[in-house]
C-alpha cells in the first residue's frame, strides 16, 4: 500500500473548528438529497464521497433530471452538476442562511427542487433550520486544505481496510450529520437498538456492525484522530492489543482511539490505519463471534488479474488457517 500523493497534515482542533463547523452545516444542504435515496443498512445511502478537492454526493437520478453536488473545499466553491448544465456558488458566505438561499436559487436554475428539509441535524446548540442560522461566518482556505488532506489520508487507509470484506459494506465516506469519515462492516444479526435515542440512530442499530473512522474532534473532545467501536459492545475490550502503539480503549467514550499525532508518527500511516482496523475486527471475531472467513486476502488488482484461481484460493485458505 503506497503513500504516494497522500499528505500528512498536522491538525489542531482550535484552528480547524470554525471552518469545520461551517462546512458541517453547509454539506447538510446537499446531503439532504441523500435521504430521498433507498435506505441502505446503517444509513449507507447518506455518505458523501471524499474527492481530491472536497466532498461530493452520489449522483441522484430523478425522472426528469440527474444531478450531483460537489463541495470543492480546495476551490472554495460548490458545484451543482446536472444533465441540464452546471451552477457554481461560492463557499464564502456571511452566514449559513445566505449560503442556503444561494444554493436553492442555483438548484432551481437547473430544474432541481431545493432539499425537502431545511433542518440542521446532529449539531448541538445549532439553530433549528438553515434559514435561522445567521451567525457570522468566515472562510479559511488553509483550514479547508488541512481538512481535505486529512480526509484523503484517512480514506486511503479505510478503503484499503474495507476492500477484502465479503459482507455488506457501504461506501467509505463522510456522514454529513455527525461529520465523521467512516468505514463500516455489517453482519446480518438482529440487535436491540439503544432505547431513548432518535429514530434515525435506532435504525442504524438494527444489525451488528464494526465501525472504524476518523473525526476532527469536538468541543468536548478536541482531539482529531481515528476511532473504532463494535456494536453491540462486547466485554473484554480493555485487554486487547489494537495493533498500533498508542491506540487505546477509552471506556468512557466507548471507543478505541488512535490520536492523529500518534498516527502521523508511524512509518506508514495508511498501513497503520489498516492494522488498526484489522485489530478491531479481530476483537469482534474473538469477543462477539464474528466470522473470520468473511475477510479475503488483501492484494492489489494487478495481482488478481494475473494470478491463477487455485493460487488465490490457496492464499485465502492459508490466511484463514493462520487467523
Amino acid at each position: 500500500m503506497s503513500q504516494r500523493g497522500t499528505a500528512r497534515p498536522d491538525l489542531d482542533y482550535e484552528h480547524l473548528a470554525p471552518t469545520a463547523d461551517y462546512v458541517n452545516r453547509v454539506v447538510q444542504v446537499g446531503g439532504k438529497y441523500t435521504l430521498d435515496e433507498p435506505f441502505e443498512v446503517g444509513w449507507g445511502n447518506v455518505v458523501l464521497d471524499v474527492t481530491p478537492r472536497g466532498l461530493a454526493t452520489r449522483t441522484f437520478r430523478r425522472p426528469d433530471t440527474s444531478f450531483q453536488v460537489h463541495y470543492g473545499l480546495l476551490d472554495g466553491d460548490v458545484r451543482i452538476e446536472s444533465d441540464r448544465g452546471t451552477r457554481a456558488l461560492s463557499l464564502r458566505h456571511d452566514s449559513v442562511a445566505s449560503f442556503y438561499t444561494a444554493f436553492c436559487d442555483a438548484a432551481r436554475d437547473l430544474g432541481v427542487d431545493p432539499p425537502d428539509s431545511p433542518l440542521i441535524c446532529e449539531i448541538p446548540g445549532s439553530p433549528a433550520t438553515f434559514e435561522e442560522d445567521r451567525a457570522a461566518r468566515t472562510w479559511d482556505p488553509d483550514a479547508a486544505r488541512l481538512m481535505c488532506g486529512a480526509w484523503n489520508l484517512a480514506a486511503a487507509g479505510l478503503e484499503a481496510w474495507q476492500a477484502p470484506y465479503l459482507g455488506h459494506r457501504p461506501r467509505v465516506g463522510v456522514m454529513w450529520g455527525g461529520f465523521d469519515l467512516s468505514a463500516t462492516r455489517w453482519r446480518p444479526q438482529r440487535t436491540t437498538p439503544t432505547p431513548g435515542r432518535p429514530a434515525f440512530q435506532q435504525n442504524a442499530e438494527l444489525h451488528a456492525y464494526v465501525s472504524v473512522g476518523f473525526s476532527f474532534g469536538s468541543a468536548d473532545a478536541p482531539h482529531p484522530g481515528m476511532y473504532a467501536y463494535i456494536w453491540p459492545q462486547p466485554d473484554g475490550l480493555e485487554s486487547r492489543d489494537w495493533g498500533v502503539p498508542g491506540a487505546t480503549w477509552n471506556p468512557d467514550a466507548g471507543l478505541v482511539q488512535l490520536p492523529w499525532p500518534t498516527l502521523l508518527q508511524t512509518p506508514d500511516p495508511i498501513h497503520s490505519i489498516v492494522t488498526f482496523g484489522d485489530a478491531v475486527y479481530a476483537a469482534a471475531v474473538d469477543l462477539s463471534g464474528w466470522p473470520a472467513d468473511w475477510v479475503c486476502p488483501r492484494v492489489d488488482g494487478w495481482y488478481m488479474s494475473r494470478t491463477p484461481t487455485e493460487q488465490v484460493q490457496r492464499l485465502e485458505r492459508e490466511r484463514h488457517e493462520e487467523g
Side-chain angles (χ1 to χ4, degrees):
M1 285 172 286
S2 172
Q3 299 181 79
R4 289 178 297 175
T6 304
R8 297 192 184 199
D10 289 325
L11 304 179
D12 175 74
Y13 176 79
E14 297 301 329
H15 173 53
L16 297 178
T19 301
D21 184 64
Y22 175 63
V23 174
N24 187 182
R25 294 163 193 256
V26 297
V27 298
Q28 293 196 16
V29 179
K32 293 290 186 179
Y33 290 115
T34 64
L35 295 173
D36 298 329
E37 299 299 289
F39 176 77
E40 187 175 339
V41 173
W43 291 107
N45 51 299
V46 308
V47 299
L48 303 177
D49 293 327
V50 176
T51 75
R53 307 193 68 80
L55 299 175
T57 67
R58 63 174 65 195
T59 297
F60 304 112
R61 310 180 206 285
R62 303 290 187 259
D64 54 349
T65 188
S66 298
F67 67 97
Q68 179 190 51
V69 182
H70 183 241
Y71 289 84
L73 302 188
L74 296 188
D75 307 299
D77 68 7
V78 179
R79 299 178 68 85
I80 307 173
E81 301 178 348
S82 84
D83 51 3
R84 300 181 181 184
T86 300
R87 296 291 184 275
L89 60 149
S90 176
L91 277 167
R92 295 177 182 270
H93 277 262
D94 57 11
S95 70
V96 173
S98 64
F99 172 86
Y100 179 67
T101 298
F103 182 97
C104 292
D105 290 344
R108 290 190 187 97
D109 283 347
L110 292 172
V112 175
D113 290 333
D116 285 338
S117 170
L119 297 178
I120 297 175
C121 300
E122 298 184 68
I123 302 179
S126 73
T129 67
F130 301 125
E131 298 102 325
E132 297 173 77
D133 192 338
R134 299 188 175 277
R137 303 285 176 173
T138 57
W139 179 250
D140 184 345
D142 181 64
R145 177 184 58 82
L146 291 169
M147 290 168 64
C148 275
W151 273 326
N152 271 285
L153 188 156
L158 292 174
E159 288 165 355
W161 174 70
Q162 191 71 295
Y165 185 62
L166 293 175
H168 177 64
R169 49 184 180 91
R171 301 185 335 274
V172 173
V174 172
M175 307 292 282
W176 48 258
F179 209 49
D180 56 322
L181 172 69
S182 64
T184 306
R185 294 178 175 182
W186 289 87
R187 178 185 181 190
Q189 174 186 321
R190 281 285 182 179
T191 65
T192 302
T194 305
R197 285 189 172 182
F200 79 92
Q201 291 184 349
Q202 293 200 40
N203 288 337
E205 297 179 341
L206 293 176
H207 293 275
Y209 63 92
V210 174
S211 186
V212 183
F214 162 75
S215 169
F216 292 113
S218 65
D220 294 333
H223 309 294
M226 307 301 298
Y227 69 85
Y229 62 101
I230 302 168
W231 170 261
Q233 180 180 306
D235 295 328
L237 295 174
E238 65 282 349
S239 61
R240 301 290 302 190
D241 177 0
W242 302 112
V244 181
T248 59
W249 166 245
N250 182 338
D252 294 331
L255 299 172
V256 188
Q257 296 176 320
L258 174 57
W260 191 254
T262 302
L263 174 67
L264 295 191
Q265 290 170 5
T266 65
D268 186 340
I270 293 174
H271 178 70
S272 296
I273 292 171
V274 174
T275 301
F276 177 65
D278 283 347
V280 175
Y281 190 79
V285 171
D286 294 342
L287 303 177
S288 296
W290 277 62
D293 59 359
W294 281 17
V295 182
C296 293
R298 186 174 284 113
V299 296
D300 62 39
W302 280 114
Y303 176 92
M304 294 298 288
S305 72
R306 63 184 181 228
T307 304
T309 303
E310 59 273 13
Q311 186 174 334
V312 174
Q313 292 173 333
R314 184 170 64 253
L315 175 64
E316 189 168 357
R317 287 195 300 271
E318 290 171 353
R319 184 183 188 281
H320 292 151
E321 288 170 358
E322 291 174 358

